[in-house]
Amino acid sequence: MSDAATIEIEIDNNYNDNDEIIIDDTGNDKIDIDHDIDKLVKPHHYNRPITLIEISPNGKYLVTYSRDDNSIVGWNVQDKDDSPIELDKRFPLVYEIKKLCVSDDKQLVCLGGEPINDTIKGIYDMKYDYKKIDLDYDINHYFDCIFNLKGEFVLYDFNDGKIFIYTTQTENNKWKCKKIYKIPRDSKVIGISKYDKLYLSSDNSIYEWDFITEKIIKMNNRNGMIYERSKFYSDRIYKLHQISEFCNNKIIFINFENKITIYSNELEIPVVSLDINSELYTQLVYIFIHLIGLNSLLYPLLINSKQYWKEHILKDKGQLSEHQLRSFLNNVQTSKYVLGILDGNIWKFKLNEILAGMNLPYENSNEIIENWYLYDDFNDFKEIFSACHHLNIHLLSLNMEDVSAVFQIAKHGQRIELNHNLTKWKIYCESNLNIKLEVFKKINANISWDKCDECDLACTRVEKLNQSDNVHRVILLINIKFLDGNNIVLLTTVGLFIYHLNENDKSISLNYYYHMDIQSTNYKKIFLGSTLPLPNYKSFKLCDGWVSDIKNNKHSLLKYGVALLTFGIKEHKLDLVEDIYKECMFHFEEDLENNMIFLSIITSIMRLLNEFYPEYTSRYSLDTIMITDSFYSIEYKNINLHLHSFFQYPHITDLTWSYKCKKLMNHIYIKRIHRILKIIRLLLFPIIFIIRIVINKFRPIYFHFINFINNIFENIKIIKHTKTIPIITFMNPYIKFVTYPQNYNWFLELIMPQSSPFVKIISKDIYETWNGETLINFKWNKYGKYYYTIIWFGFIVLLGCFTAAATIPQEYIDDNIQKQLLIASIILGFIHLSFKVRQFIYNPIKWVNNFWNIFDLIAFLFPIYTSIHWLQTNDRNIQFLSFSCLFLDIKFLLFLRVYESFGVYFAIIISVGKQAASFLVVLFIIIISFAHTFYILLSPEPTDDHDPNNPWNIAPVYHRIFENGTIDPNPYLIQPPGKNTNMFIDFGTAVFAIYQFLTGDSSALSNWTYKDNPSLVILIVFFSFLTIVYLMNLLVGLLGNAIEKDNNRVTYLVQKAEVLAEIELFYLLPHQRRWKTWFPDIIYYYADVDKTRQKVKEMIKEGEWNINEFSELKLELLKVLGIQHNSHNPVDEATLHKVLKETPLVDEATLRRVLEEILVSQKQSSH
């Protein structure tokens, strides 16, 4: 990419329709192989046979070892054809070795010992006269070792299952151990890569673990690839480094048990698998090389082709035995050269020359390719062609320098040609924004294209482009470039295209399209990266052929499916959304073990899908319930694990911290602790002596008691280990639903964290099934309950400090202590408040729409303000104190909502409150209206003292009673009116009076004489009937219906998911959100078999059991559960029960038969 920064394009606007660009890219490769460098090496071993060779990770240094000579010779590797290696140093050994390990910095490790466990015989620095080096953390036996590209030394201890990583910076003649990892007992190491990768075999699958990111991925299922496990464990001898990783961050070759699997690191799926022992292996490799071109990354395929080595590379060495050939291939070292040992001699081959030798004559290649369907191993060839279609553009062939080269031209036209070997590409610009491509095949390979008159039209393709605006544009062809294999890159004025010629079906497919206006787009920045940028929105909108090719190609769909599905949703293309949904389901069902990543296309944009097409959320949850990635089996557990979620991948433990602590303790405290233990023993000696005397005296009783206790524990152990609960394992289909983007800025994440799909969408449709519930269980058990407890404890401390300061009387608390409690309340309040501020910054609209956020804000602001006011003014404001304590107490109560027994009731309160909100608004308006009416009717005139509404006229009066029983008409005593005598003087108190009347307290209206105020009586009757009799009873009924209608448990799970989302975003640190043990790509869960059977029957009855998706898988589940279900029965059970309720006179058998006949006739008519 060195030229990428100086890309320049000049567009000639004076083009002619007849302008034509002809490019000849034909080349001839000459093979000249000089293999033998043995004469350079053997004299320094006194012409003794060479036993071992080892090359450094970057191919800078080579060491050779001769067992007969018992010496090691070091060689500097040079980039010279005449002398590829140069003698550095030689030194003899006093022991025999079995393995060598060398770094680029000339540091050598010699291993030898038992057949299974190797011992480090010596570590030497060859730069300093074989200086001996020790390890600061050493054990007796190792199984293998390697130097990585950074020069660090990696050891694998087979006995303890530990990986040690040492820095090679020597201090006091020692290498310091910087990392220690513990491998799970049920996992086996099958490879250690110099690219800081560890490869494990566990649960019949292969996993890759990254030492740097500590991320683990499941690479492929080993089913059918590994020999019997009994043999695997009994022999305990297997060769490491069976993983050939060619690190271009794209592909890995897994050479394991006679199978080579090419794994796409980018797409996280295995692309193709080849059987080394197959008779057609070499022919398959020929096709592979021919279709995707010569590439050094294909060397792992070649190294296992014994037939090719015999017939092409080693044909001059005579007839080789199987042992000789196997010995040679097992000792091959690769860098720029391929080095191998044959009969004690070293042979050297250039890597590119070996690959050049793979080229068959074009006639033979075409014959194999054209007749691939006639071979017995039809499926192998089919898999090869499918893989090549992917590898051509996505993995191997693409070189960004070649792509950038198409920009460096100064001519354009409407026709363009490209010649390469036997193939010619012709491309034309047609009217109506069409591009026509034609591919021709030369009949006579010996005639150049200039003189060739005879050629066959292999295939054509017309690319129809849509008009992106109302302006008519003319497409110009700017340049074309041939890539390795059958790929071309085409640059036009409407963007960059990459096409692939499929020789198996004679077709042209579009592998990549990026839309851009070549005259205005700053394309230099777009294509400066090491990989192609993702297609933009306009590329899908402009080119329907591009959309179709993505849908129809498995690997393109996996790479661009998320972008394409997003486009389909935003453009409201329901057919496209449906097609992608079905394709993802189909590919997963096609290979459950390896294609589960296709489900992540749907789950990664579930929020957008739920926003535009919410029915797909419920559909996905029901279609994928109770699925697995392998096969169903029933196990028996001694505890109830129903809906217990777990992360199935091997968990590698970092022991570095414990090792450092242990080392520090041993270094500092060992002597001191030893002295303390002696003192404790001396102090406890009298007590121990007395206990022994008592035991000896009551020995029989003691033994009876011990036996009794032992029997109890034995019975408990028997009960505990009795397997009584049958469980079955399912896979949660929400793939990569809880994971966060791996690229992030640590400090920016503290303010504006990135989201996972789990955080973006919290929908009831997800949590109505076991899939959603197990997501919650996994998160809660992994980190949720611990962080929630810490948050709750922090709030309890705030509540305790403020409550103690506000409640404890002054005579029982010191002023200084009270001030300290108030200061602590302020500090703790601001800490809790800071998390609420971060939530507001993250999403202000969502924060405001959540009532509980407003409540939390008040609950924290009140005690903070009250404490500050109290400290500054020494004024104990009773009103603020009381409300502060009230809000804090309610906030404490809200912490109980995550526990199901409490949370269900909180869910009822919240959900029913939301549903009744509109009704309560109507009721509030009615109260305001009546308050306004009573306010006008009963408010007094300020200038009229005789107004009946005057408080003095309605205040209670007392009259004298004379001895003769008569009452004095003149008031004897008048009770002075209070502010509440006439509450309708003020509109605010009038509203409160009407609210009291609504609750049954009519005292505010009792001061008037009803007989003298008919208007007042009418209003009272009307209000009481409308609100108290009708609306309040209606409200009770509506609330009851809302409670019955709403699934309170689902609402509880939703609010628990919201709590977990809040913890993830604002309480976890950015790097914690990337821990794969907490946020894995795939989650599994157990389910009780009896409850599963009951759940399936309920779903069948309700018509939710969709047998159309994953039909074989679900039929297998029904068989395992012992459920008799007619999968061919077209009658939906829910529809059947619904019709039965409506027509009770018809029996079920007759109705079922009629419905079946109707549905069958409908299907026949549709076909």
Side-chain angles (χ1 to χ4, degrees):
M1 292 297 296
S2 60
D3 299 332
T6 59
I7 294 176
E8 296 181 0
I9 294 181
E10 297 180 6
I11 301 296
D12 183 8
N13 295 320
N14 299 319
Y15 70 91
N16 189 295
D17 289 348
N18 297 321
D19 288 348
E20 182 175 0
I21 304 172
I22 300 177
I23 301 173
D24 193 344
D25 197 21
T26 303
N28 296 315
D29 297 324
K30 182 180 179 181
I31 304 174
D32 184 15
I33 305 176
D34 177 20
H35 304 302
D36 197 343
I37 63 166
D38 197 52
K39 57 185 179 182
L40 299 175
V41 177
K42 292 190 71 173
H44 298 280
H45 288 285
Y46 303 105
N47 292 320
R48 300 296 179 87
I50 305 301
T51 308
L52 296 173
I53 58 174
E54 187 73 26
I55 198 166
S56 63
N58 288 306
K60 295 180 179 180
Y61 198 71
L62 173 72
V63 292
T64 59
Y65 168 71
S66 172
R67 183 178 291 112
D68 294 348
D69 181 49
N70 205 26
S71 64
I72 290 179
V73 180
W75 307 85
N76 294 314
V77 179
Q78 303 180 111
D79 192 12
K80 297 179 182 179
D81 292 338
D82 56 344
S83 180
I85 60 175
E86 180 184 47
L87 177 65
D88 179 41
K89 291 181 180 178
R90 177 186 183 278
F91 71 96
L93 295 175
V94 295
Y95 45 78
E96 184 179 321
I97 62 175
K98 294 196 307 180
K99 295 180 183 179
L100 291 171
C101 190
V102 66
S103 71
D104 293 314
D105 206 26
K106 302 182 180 180
Q107 293 159 326
L108 177 68
V109 179
C110 302
L111 292 92
E114 303 174 9
I116 296 178
N117 296 322
D118 294 328
T119 303
I120 294 181
K121 296 293 187 180
I123 302 176
Y124 306 96
D125 194 332
M126 301 184 70
K127 298 192 307 294
Y128 302 104
D129 298 327
Y130 329 118
K131 183 176 68 174
K132 186 76 177 293
I133 299 173
D134 296 323
L135 303 177
D136 72 335
Y137 189 91
D138 194 12
I139 58 176
N140 295 327
H141 299 286
Y142 298 97
F143 191 72
D144 204 4
C145 63
I146 193 173
F147 284 97
N148 60 20
L149 293 177
K150 295 181 292 186
E152 297 171 335
F153 183 53
V154 184
L155 281 174
Y156 170 48
D157 174 17
F158 180 87
N159 290 337
D160 292 338
K162 293 180 181 178
I163 301 289
F164 301 86
I165 301 179
Y166 292 87
T167 176
T168 53
Q169 301 297 324
T170 306
E171 295 181 9
N172 299 324
N173 290 333
K174 285 188 176 183
W175 286 350
K176 186 177 180 180
C177 183
K178 57 179 292 188
K179 283 287 185 180
I180 301 178
Y181 297 101
K182 176 69 175 177
I183 308 299
R185 290 186 177 181
D186 57 348
S187 301
K188 298 296 177 182
V189 176
I190 61 173
I192 303 175
S193 166
K194 62 183 180 182
Y195 301 105
D196 292 309
K197 302 291 177 63
L198 176 69
Y199 298 94
L200 301 170
S201 167
S202 178
D203 295 327
N204 208 36
S205 299
I206 295 177
Y207 300 88
E208 178 196 76
W209 193 74
D210 194 311
F211 284 112
I212 299 176
T213 63
E214 297 188 351
K215 175 184 176 181
I216 189 168
I217 59 175
K218 183 179 180 179
M219 300 184 64
N220 75 314
N221 187 277
R222 310 181 321 190
N223 198 16
M225 294 171 55
I226 292 185
Y227 47 80
E228 298 177 0
R229 295 178 66 90
S230 58
K231 179 180 178 181
F232 182 80
Y233 289 114
S234 62
D235 291 347
R236 297 185 65 192
I237 302 175
Y238 58 101
K239 183 182 177 183
L240 289 181
H241 310 298
Q242 297 176 82
I243 304 290
S244 303
E245 179 181 19
F246 282 69
C247 187
N248 62 345
N249 294 323
K250 290 185 178 181
I251 62 170
I252 298 173
F253 287 82
I254 307 172
N255 173 8
F256 198 78
E257 288 308 309
N258 299 323
K259 278 272 189 175
I260 285 189
T261 301
I262 302 179
Y263 179 83
S264 170
N265 232 351
E266 182 182 23
L267 303 182
E268 300 183 15
I269 60 170
V271 178
V272 67
S273 182
L274 303 176
D275 188 352
I276 297 174
N277 294 329
S278 172
E279 295 180 358
L280 293 176
Y281 176 79
T282 302
Q283 290 176 322
L284 293 173
V285 173
Y286 285 160
I287 295 175
F288 218 76
I289 299 292
H290 177 79
L291 291 178
I292 64 180
L294 302 178
N295 197 303
S296 61
L297 296 176
L298 295 177
Y299 177 74
L301 295 177
L302 174 62
I303 196 66
N304 291 281
S305 178
K306 297 178 182 179
Q307 178 182 348
Y308 179 78
W309 283 91
K310 280 184 178 181
E311 297 177 358
H312 294 272
I313 306 300
L314 302 175
K315 61 182 179 181
D316 298 332
K317 310 307 174 187
Q319 186 67 28
L320 299 178
S321 66
E322 186 70 18
H323 173 75
Q324 286 176 311
L325 186 59
R326 184 170 59 252
S327 176
F328 173 80
L329 295 178
N330 286 340
N331 287 281
V332 164
Q333 300 289 326
T334 60
S335 55
K336 180 180 178 181
Y337 301 96
V338 178
L339 301 172
I341 300 176
L342 184 61
D343 294 333
N345 300 318
I346 297 180
W347 305 100
K348 182 264 302 182
F349 314 90
K350 278 191 176 179
L351 188 57
N352 60 346
E353 291 173 350
I354 294 178
L355 293 172
M358 290 296 294
N359 270 332
L360 291 172
Y362 280 100
E363 302 85 72
N364 296 339
S365 301
N366 291 332
E367 181 181 355
I368 293 176
I369 292 170
E370 290 175 1
N371 300 311
W372 62 276
Y373 52 86
L374 299 177
Y375 286 90
D376 294 335
D377 290 359
F378 171 84
N379 292 328
D380 290 340
F381 282 97
K382 183 179 179 180
E383 188 178 8
I384 287 291
F385 282 110
S386 175
C388 291
H389 186 64
H390 168 66
L391 293 174
N392 261 288
I393 187 63
H394 297 315
L395 298 182
L396 298 178
S397 301
L398 184 62
N399 187 337
M400 287 303 294
E401 293 183 358
D402 293 336
V403 176
S404 301
V406 299
F407 293 98
Q408 301 176 10
I409 52 90
K411 192 175 181 180
H412 65 272
Q414 288 197 321
R415 292 187 301 276
I416 195 167
E417 289 186 8
L418 176 66
N419 304 330
H420 181 78
N421 294 329
L422 299 180
T423 306
K424 173 185 281 190
W425 290 72
K426 286 186 178 182
I427 305 174
Y428 310 90
C429 285
E430 298 182 341
S431 58
N432 300 323
L433 293 176
N434 291 346
I435 300 175
K436 184 176 182 180
L437 299 94
E438 295 179 342
V439 178
F440 297 88
K441 283 290 186 179
K442 190 188 299 185
I443 297 176
N444 191 342
N446 298 322
I447 301 177
S448 65
W449 279 106
D450 296 336
K451 302 177 181 180
C452 181
D453 297 328
E454 296 182 358
C455 60
D456 289 334
L457 178 61
C459 53
T460 61
R461 177 187 175 110
V462 177
E463 204 68 73
K464 297 181 179 180
L465 302 179
N466 304 318
Q467 192 72 276
S468 59
D469 47 40
N470 295 326
V471 180
H472 180 72
R473 298 180 183 272
V474 178
I475 299 177
L476 300 178
L477 306 177
I478 298 177
N479 196 13
I480 187 172
K481 175 72 176 176
F482 179 80
L483 302 175
D484 291 337
N486 291 329
N487 299 304
I488 63 166
V489 53
L490 174 66
L491 181 63
T492 71
T493 52
V494 293
L496 184 138
F497 301 79
I498 296 179
Y499 287 97
H500 172 64
L501 172 62
N502 304 310
E503 297 197 38
N504 60 319
D505 60 358
K506 304 299 182 184
S507 65
I508 302 172
S509 60
L510 179 58
N511 277 347
Y512 180 79
Y513 173 52
Y514 189 92
H515 173 268
M516 57 185 175
D517 189 344
I518 202 68
Q519 293 181 329
S520 59
T521 305
N522 187 6
Y523 46 82
K524 295 180 181 179
K525 292 182 179 180
I526 296 175
F527 291 93
L528 279 178
S530 59
T531 59
L532 289 171
L534 289 175
N536 52 14
Y537 195 83
K538 279 190 175 181
S539 65
F540 301 125
K541 194 170 185 179
L542 189 65
C543 186
D544 293 335
W546 173 224
V547 172
S548 178
D549 282 344
I550 292 177
K551 285 193 307 179
N552 298 328
N553 181 267
K554 172 182 176 181
H555 303 98
S556 295
L557 177 64
L558 192 54
K559 187 170 185 178
Y560 305 124
V562 173
L564 182 60
L565 184 56
T566 303
F567 164 79
I569 295 172
K570 291 184 177 180
E571 289 292 319
H572 301 282
K573 295 181 179 293
L574 185 57
D575 292 339
L576 178 59
V577 174
E578 178 68 15
D579 289 343
I580 295 176
Y581 181 88
K582 289 183 176 179
E583 284 294 324
C584 292
M585 292 296 185
F586 169 77
H587 288 306
F588 172 64
E589 188 175 9
E590 185 181 34
D591 189 348
L592 299 172
E593 297 163 328
N594 297 317
N595 287 351
M596 63 185 71
I597 195 68
F598 279 94
L599 298 181
S600 67
I601 297 175
I602 301 173
T603 58
S604 60
I605 56 171
M606 187 67 76
R607 182 196 64 81
L608 195 63
L609 199 61
N610 187 70
E611 180 181 348
F612 287 85
Y613 302 105
E615 65 273 13
Y616 275 93
T617 306
S618 176
R619 176 182 172 184
Y620 181 80
S621 296
L622 293 175
D623 286 347
T624 57
I625 191 172
M626 299 182 191
I627 63 173
T628 183
D629 60 349
S630 54
F631 55 88
Y632 296 110
S633 63
I634 296 178
E635 304 176 56
Y636 290 87
K637 299 289 184 179
N638 53 352
I639 55 176
N640 186 7
L641 294 175
H642 183 60
L643 300 187
H644 171 74
S645 308
F646 60 94
F647 176 49
Q648 196 175 40
Y649 291 1
H651 177 54
I652 299 177
T653 308
D654 188 349
L655 300 179
T656 309
W657 177 251
S658 61
Y659 156 71
K660 290 181 178 179
C661 292
K662 182 179 179 181
K663 186 176 180 181
L664 183 64
M665 289 288 291
N666 291 337
H667 181 70
I668 298 177
Y669 298 109
I670 189 66
K671 293 183 179 179
R672 187 175 299 176
I673 292 175
H674 186 65
R675 292 175 183 174
I676 293 174
L677 289 175
K678 282 186 176 181
I679 296 173
I680 293 175
R681 288 174 184 173
L682 290 174
L683 293 175
L684 294 178
F685 178 76
I687 300 175
I688 296 173
F689 181 75
I690 295 173
I691 292 174
R692 285 181 176 178
I693 293 175
V694 173
I695 290 175
N696 289 331
K697 186 174 182 180
F698 300 99
R699 185 180 297 272
I701 299 175
Y702 169 76
F703 281 117
H704 282 297
F705 177 75
I706 294 299
N707 290 331
F708 176 74
I709 298 297
N710 288 336
N711 290 333
I712 292 176
F713 279 105
E714 287 295 329
N715 292 330
I716 293 175
K717 189 181 295 184
I718 292 173
I719 295 173
K720 184 178 180 181
H721 290 281
T722 301
K723 299 179 180 179
T724 56
I725 302 177
I727 63 167
I728 191 169
T729 303
F730 297 114
M731 182 191 77
N732 194 301
Y734 286 88
I735 309 299
K736 290 192 172 182
F737 189 70
V738 301
T739 56
Y740 285 80
Q742 295 301 310
N743 298 323
Y744 66 98
N745 183 295
W746 203 92
F747 295 100
L748 185 61
E749 282 271 314
L750 295 177
I751 302 173
M752 189 63 66
Q754 300 181 71
S755 299
S756 66
F758 170 81
V759 174
K760 291 179 182 178
I761 173 175
I762 299 179
S763 170
K764 286 187 176 181
D765 292 329
I766 296 176
Y767 301 105
E768 283 180 344
T769 63
W770 284 358
N771 298 329
E773 186 173 351
T774 52
L775 279 176
I776 299 296
N777 293 343
F778 179 84
K779 287 175 168 289
W780 180 253
N781 292 325
K782 278 293 180 181
Y783 63 87
K785 59 184 179 183
Y786 305 109
Y787 274 83
Y788 195 78
T789 302
I790 294 173
I791 298 169
W792 196 358
F793 179 77
F795 177 80
I796 290 175
V797 175
L798 167 63
L799 175 64
C801 291
F802 186 81
T803 303
T807 307
I808 299 177
Q810 296 290 332
E811 58 267 22
Y812 297 112
I813 188 172
D814 185 74
D815 288 342
N816 291 330
I817 296 177
Q818 192 177 59
K819 290 180 179 180
Q820 292 174 2
L821 291 174
L822 293 174
I823 293 173
S825 301
I826 295 171
I827 295 173
L828 293 172
F830 273 115
I831 292 174
H832 286 279
L833 187 63
S834 65
F835 291 101
K836 296 300 173 183
V837 173
R838 289 178 60 198
Q839 294 178 42
F840 177 80
I841 296 173
Y842 175 75
N843 194 333
I845 297 176
K846 182 179 179 181
W847 190 90
V848 172
N849 289 333
N850 190 335
F851 167 76
W852 297 114
N853 288 327
I854 307 298
F855 181 86
D856 291 344
L857 183 66
I858 297 172
F860 294 132
L861 283 177
F862 259 74
I864 291 174
Y865 172 78
T866 305
S867 300
I868 294 175
H869 177 76
W870 193 349
L871 289 172
Q872 288 183 341
T873 63
N874 201 25
D875 178 21
R876 188 171 178 267
N877 193 311
I878 303 299
Q879 287 77 18
F880 277 107
L881 284 175
S882 58
F883 279 103
S884 298
C885 291
L886 173 64
F887 287 123
L888 288 176
D889 292 339
I890 296 177
K891 174 64 179 175
F892 174 84
L893 182 64
L894 290 177
F895 274 98
L896 298 173
R897 69 185 185 274
V898 298
Y899 302 103
E900 186 172 356
S901 54
F902 299 94
V904 170
Y905 296 108
F906 281 103
I908 294 174
I909 295 171
I910 296 172
S911 62
V912 173
K914 289 180 180 179
Q915 296 181 49
S918 300
F919 184 89
L920 294 177
V921 171
V922 172
L923 184 62
F924 177 73
I925 294 174
I926 291 175
I927 292 174
I928 295 294
S929 301
F930 274 94
H932 187 211
T933 303
F934 280 107
Y935 170 73
I936 295 174
L937 180 66
L938 301 178
S939 59
E941 294 291 338
T943 58
D944 187 2
D945 294 337
H946 300 285
D947 188 344
N949 296 328
N950 191 306
W952 284 97
N953 295 328
I954 60 175
V957 296
Y958 302 93
H959 297 267
R960 286 190 304 172
I961 301 176
F962 296 105
E963 292 180 357
N964 58 6
T966 60
I967 300 175
D968 188 358
N970 297 317
Y972 182 74
L973 292 175
I974 299 177
Q975 180 179 336
K979 293 183 179 181
N980 293 333
T981 302
N982 186 353
M983 296 182 67
F984 299 95
I985 295 177
D986 180 75
F987 183 74
T989 56
V991 174
F992 182 68
I994 298 303
Y995 173 75
Q996 284 184 311
F997 188 26
L998 180 66
T999 60
D1001 184 5
S1002 60
S1003 59
L1005 297 171
S1006 62
N1007 293 326
W1008 284 269
T1009 304
Y1010 297 143
K1011 188 176 181 179
D1012 299 332
N1013 294 276
S1015 299
L1016 178 63
V1017 173
I1018 293 172
L1019 288 175
I1020 291 175
V1021 172
F1022 183 43
F1023 177 78
S1024 61
F1025 176 80
L1026 177 63
T1027 59
I1028 301 175
V1029 176
Y1030 179 71
L1031 290 182
M1032 294 307 294
N1033 284 284
L1034 179 62
L1035 177 61
V1036 172
L1038 291 175
L1039 293 179
N1041 292 335
I1043 293 173
E1044 292 180 1
K1045 180 181 177 181
D1046 189 43
N1047 189 334
N1048 301 316
R1049 193 169 190 281
V1050 174
T1051 307
Y1052 154 73
L1053 291 174
V1054 168
Q1055 70 182 13
K1056 193 170 183 179
E1058 292 174 347
V1059 171
L1060 288 168
E1062 180 181 329
I1063 292 175
E1064 288 181 18
L1065 291 176
F1066 307 108
Y1067 291 92
L1068 295 184
L1069 295 176
H1071 69 280
Q1072 290 179 304
R1073 291 193 286 270
R1074 275 77 186 178
W1075 286 353
K1076 282 301 175 181
T1077 52
W1078 287 9
F1079 302 94
D1081 294 340
I1082 307 171
I1083 297 173
Y1084 299 85
Y1085 65 94
Y1086 296 123
D1088 187 290
V1089 171
D1090 296 329
K1091 294 180 180 179
T1092 304
R1093 187 180 298 109
Q1094 180 182 356
K1095 182 69 174 179
V1096 171
K1097 289 181 178 180
E1098 290 178 1
M1099 294 182 67
I1100 293 175
K1101 183 178 180 180
E1102 297 296 329
E1104 297 177 348
W1105 186 257
N1106 185 8
I1107 203 68
N1108 296 324
E1109 295 292 346
F1110 313 114
S1111 56
E1112 293 183 4
L1113 195 64
K1114 291 186 176 180
L1115 288 175
E1116 180 189 349
L1117 176 61
L1118 295 178
K1119 183 178 179 181
V1120 171
L1121 296 176
I1123 298 177
Q1124 298 295 328
H1125 177 62
N1126 185 7
S1127 60
H1128 303 289
N1129 182 9
V1131 178
D1132 179 46
E1133 295 294 331
T1135 305
L1136 179 63
H1137 286 281
K1138 182 179 179 181
V1139 177
L1140 280 173
K1141 290 181 180 179
E1142 296 175 355
T1143 56
L1145 299 178
V1146 182
D1147 63 284
E1148 181 177 344
T1150 304
L1151 184 59
R1152 184 185 295 274
R1153 180 176 54 80
V1154 172
L1155 289 175
E1156 287 179 1
E1157 292 176 355
I1158 293 173
L1159 292 175
V1160 169
S1161 62
Q1162 288 178 351
K1163 287 184 179 180
Q1164 291 176 350
S1165 61
S1166 64
H1167 289 300

